[in-house]
């Protein structure tokens, strides 16, 4: 689905990372692999260290911490927030919506829109697209888009495919109307026939949690997990990304009548370094224009990886400079999405820690 927006802009990006850091070597004994095999895997995939929440910490805790930081530093006035969009697949509860929990705990005004969007890896572009649409309303001038997950609590400690890359994070992006005559191009795609490529099979209404769903079972590759843990079919996901993302990017560039050389940075979702390098190779994009260093420093935090990517690799540069960015997310759903837009002269672009 092609999208196009006019007169919208990002004015600030804040990333919130838990201080709790785990190194790959700390958990290497949990995997049914020799140490030499594990270290080879670390080198190829870019495993190193990741940030995870402590038990009992939820997405709303990280969101509230980040928003309060912005309030305290006069970077955001809570009374100016007309809409709050939370993109997450780690809700505090089934009921109520976590965006409502955040609104209530922060004492935000009641005359506002609160939405939860259940999306994972492609959720940053989807959340921003929803914000752009809300800004077409006369009475909505400022939207807060929060992306975040705490998937580390749903990954088996004996899953060498998912455990070493899974991190937790939240990002807060402020979106407003723009007086400049700018155009933002977007795309959102969905293929639910691949839903089982990334799935937590039990724990929802389809298959409620029971003693049986919590039972640990070893698969043919030596990973031990229960039906309540995340299951990723790595080969299927890799092939899907290599097949679908390059043509999506080509199409959005064609619609905007620009080339890859015109794009300053391709800020993509980061499942692991290997996949990003292969994607850059296929797209014939230099590695320096498609950063791939987020998983090795913080882990894969689903839809938050793109804003963490921007905060970590561009950061303060975006306070005084502007860059033409291509954003792309891809994964669970299966879904893949993108945005092509100018980002710069922000009020803030930083990373802060959450210490629980």
């Amino acid at each position: 689905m092609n999208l196009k927006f006019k007169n919208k802009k990002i004015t600030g990006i804040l990333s919130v990372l838990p201080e709790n850091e785990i190194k790959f070597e700390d958990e290497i004994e949990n995997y049914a692999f020799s140490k030499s095999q594990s270290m080879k895997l670390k080198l190829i995939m870019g495993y190193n260290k990741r940030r995870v929440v402590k038990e009992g910490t939820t997405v709303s805790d990280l969101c509230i911490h980040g928003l309060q930081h912005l309030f305290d530093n006069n970077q955001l006035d809570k009374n100016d927030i007309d809409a709050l969009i939370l993109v997450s697949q780690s809700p505090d509860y089934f009921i109520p919506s976590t965006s409502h929990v955040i609104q209530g705990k922060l004492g935000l005004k009641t005359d506002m829109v609160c939405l939860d969007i259940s999306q994972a890896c492609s959720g940053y572009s989807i959340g921003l697209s929803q914000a752009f649409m809300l800004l077409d309303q006369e009475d909505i001038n400022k939207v807060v888009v929060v992306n975040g997950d705490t998937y580390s609590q749903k990954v088996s400690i004996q899953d060498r495919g998912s455990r070493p890359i899974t991190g937790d994070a939240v990002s807060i992006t402020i979106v407003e109307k723009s007086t400049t005559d700018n155009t933002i191009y977007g795309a959102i795609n969905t293929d639910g026939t691949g839903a089982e490529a990334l799935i937590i099979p039990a724990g929802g209404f389809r298959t409620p949690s029971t003693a049986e769903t919590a039972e640990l079972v070893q698969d043919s590759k030596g990973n031990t997990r229960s039906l309540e843990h995340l299951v990723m079919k790595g080969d299927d996901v890799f092939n899907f990304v290599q097949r679908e993302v390059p043509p999506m990017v080509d199409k959005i560039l064609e619609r905007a009548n620009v080339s890859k050389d015109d794009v300053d940075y391709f800020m993509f979702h980061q499942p692991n370094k290997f996949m990003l390098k292969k994607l850059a190779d296929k797209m014939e994009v230099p590695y320096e224009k498609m950063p791939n260093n987020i998983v090795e420093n913080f882990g894969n935090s689903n839809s938050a990886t793109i804003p963490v990517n921007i905060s970590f690799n561009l950061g303060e540069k975006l306070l005084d400079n502007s860059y033409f960015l291509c954003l792309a997310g891809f994964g669970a759903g299966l879904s893949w999405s993108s945005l092509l837009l100018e980002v710069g002269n922000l009020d803030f672009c930083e990373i802060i820690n959450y210490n629980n």
Side-chain angles (χ1 to χ4, degrees):
M1 176 63 65
N2 295 330
L3 304 172
K4 186 163 69 172
F5 311 98
K6 296 186 72 67
N7 308 115
K8 312 294 189 297
K9 64 180 179 179
I10 292 173
T11 58
I13 300 173
L14 176 72
S15 296
V16 184
L17 296 167
E19 282 192 335
N20 187 32
E21 184 177 88
I22 297 177
K23 295 182 179 179
F24 178 70
E25 286 80 1
D26 294 339
E27 298 184 318
I28 199 170
E29 299 300 328
N30 294 331
Y31 308 130
F33 240 29
S34 69
K35 185 174 181 179
S36 61
Q37 288 174 310
S38 293
M39 294 306 291
K40 182 179 180 180
L41 196 63
K42 172 186 175 180
L43 183 64
I44 294 171
M45 305 301 286
Y47 301 158
N48 186 24
K49 53 188 179 181
R50 58 195 179 93
R51 300 285 190 92
V52 301
V53 296
K54 295 179 181 177
E55 186 175 355
T57 300
T58 67
V59 160
S60 74
D61 295 325
L62 298 176
C63 296
I64 290 168
H65 179 77
L67 286 167
Q68 192 62 56
H69 170 86
L70 296 178
F71 299 154
D72 293 343
N73 288 277
N74 298 315
Q75 293 168 309
L76 178 65
D77 187 328
K78 65 168 61 179
N79 295 312
D80 290 341
I81 302 173
D82 299 312
L84 174 66
I85 298 171
L86 173 69
V87 183
S88 178
Q89 292 194 325
S90 308
D92 284 21
Y93 312 100
F94 282 140
I95 302 174
S97 298
T98 305
S99 59
H100 292 200
V101 172
I102 296 167
Q103 182 269 348
K105 288 189 175 181
L106 286 173
L108 304 183
K109 64 187 183 185
T110 57
D111 181 24
M112 67 178 296
V113 176
C114 287
L115 295 175
D116 279 24
I117 298 177
S118 180
Q119 288 286 345
C121 315
S122 62
Y124 190 59
S125 298
I126 292 172
L128 290 177
S129 295
Q130 179 65 71
F132 296 150
M133 287 186 269
L134 284 172
L135 285 167
D136 284 332
Q137 298 301 309
E138 183 177 348
D139 292 334
I140 295 181
N141 296 297
K142 184 171 291 192
V143 181
V144 174
V145 180
V146 181
N147 293 79
D149 275 299
T150 55
Y151 263 25
S152 67
Q153 300 170 87
K154 285 294 184 180
V155 178
S156 170
I157 62 172
Q158 296 175 282
D159 186 339
R160 69 169 181 269
S162 298
R163 184 78 174 184
I165 63 172
T166 304
D168 303 324
V170 154
S171 70
I172 298 168
T173 304
I174 312 302
V175 185
E176 304 181 44
K177 293 177 179 175
S178 173
T179 56
T180 61
D181 186 23
N182 67 318
T183 301
I184 298 171
Y185 293 88
I188 297 175
N189 304 276
T190 307
D191 181 8
T193 63
E196 292 188 358
L198 275 163
I199 191 172
I200 298 176
F205 287 106
R206 171 65 63 185
T207 308
S209 296
T210 64
E212 287 74 23
T213 63
E215 183 180 347
L216 293 171
V217 178
Q218 187 175 84
D219 67 13
S220 60
K221 296 182 179 180
N223 298 300
T224 300
R225 63 172 82 89
S226 76
L227 292 176
E228 297 176 22
H229 286 132
L230 176 71
V231 179
M232 177 177 65
K233 298 179 180 178
D235 291 344
D236 291 351
V237 175
F238 177 84
N239 292 333
F240 147 70
V241 171
Q242 301 298 312
R243 181 180 69 249
E244 300 293 355
V245 174
M248 174 182 66
V249 173
D250 287 341
K251 185 175 181 180
I252 201 171
L253 293 174
E254 181 181 353
R255 289 173 54 216
N257 196 29
V258 297
S259 71
K260 291 173 185 173
D261 291 336
D262 296 318
V263 177
D264 294 311
Y265 293 101
F266 293 84
M267 290 296 188
F268 284 11
H269 167 61
Q270 299 203 14
N272 58 63
K273 178 172 283 190
F274 175 78
M275 188 179 293
L276 262 292
K277 283 188 171 182
K278 290 296 183 182
L279 191 56
D281 290 341
K282 185 161 187 177
M283 293 175 57
E284 298 182 340
V285 171
Y287 293 159
E288 58 268 22
K289 291 184 66 170
M290 188 187 291
N292 57 39
N293 56 1
I294 296 304
V295 166
E296 67 188 77
N297 284 286
F298 309 116
N300 173 0
S301 52
N302 293 323
S303 67
T305 61
I306 294 176
V308 170
N309 187 359
I310 295 170
S311 301
F312 185 64
N313 287 298
L314 295 180
E316 291 186 353
K317 294 179 182 178
L318 282 168
L319 304 185
D320 300 311
N321 301 286
S322 183
Y323 299 99
F324 192 43
L325 304 182
C326 179
L327 315 180
F330 33 83
L334 293 168
S335 62
W336 58 111
S337 65
S338 60
L339 285 172
L340 189 64
L341 74 170
E342 194 82 23
V343 178
N345 300 306
L346 303 184
D347 296 331
F348 56 87
C349 187
E350 60 180 320
I351 295 175
I352 63 170
N353 291 325
Y354 175 84
N355 185 5
N356 55 331

